Amino acid sequence: MTKKPYVAPNNYIPPEMVRTRDIALYQSPKSTAELLEERQKILDIRGKLNKDRKNRLTRIESVLVARDEAAEKELERLTKQSDTSHVKQA
């Protein structure tokens, strides 16, 4: 009895390709409002969410969260920078 070699399904996407897609979406020129609108369109479609729609929804939501966290970090950095500039001027 021999083992059969593993064969990936036709719709298999390697993790590095998924990561590349996520980075591309994060850096895309699409605004947050456009992403929210696309997310709402996906949710408004009647019927059960298939795997592709679930994946796209997850990707959009993760990008929205990542952009929000990046904006918070940038705001925090700018706040600290402005606080230190006031101290240097005094």
Side-chain angles (χ1 to χ4, degrees), residues 5-51:
Y6 174 75
V7 177
N10 291 339
N11 60 353
Y12 175 74
I13 302 170
E16 55 274 357
M17 175 83 80
V18 172
R19 177 119 173 95
T20 304
R21 282 186 185 173
D22 290 345
I23 290 170
L25 183 61
Y26 177 78
Q27 296 174 345
S28 76
K30 278 191 172 185
S31 68
T32 302
E34 290 173 326
L35 290 174
L36 286 170
E37 186 178 314
E38 184 179 346
R39 177 186 176 274
Q40 192 58 46
K41 281 182 185 177
I42 291 172
L43 292 174
D44 287 344
I45 297 172
R46 289 189 171 192
K48 193 172 182 179
L49 287 175
N50 62 14
K51 188 175 180 179

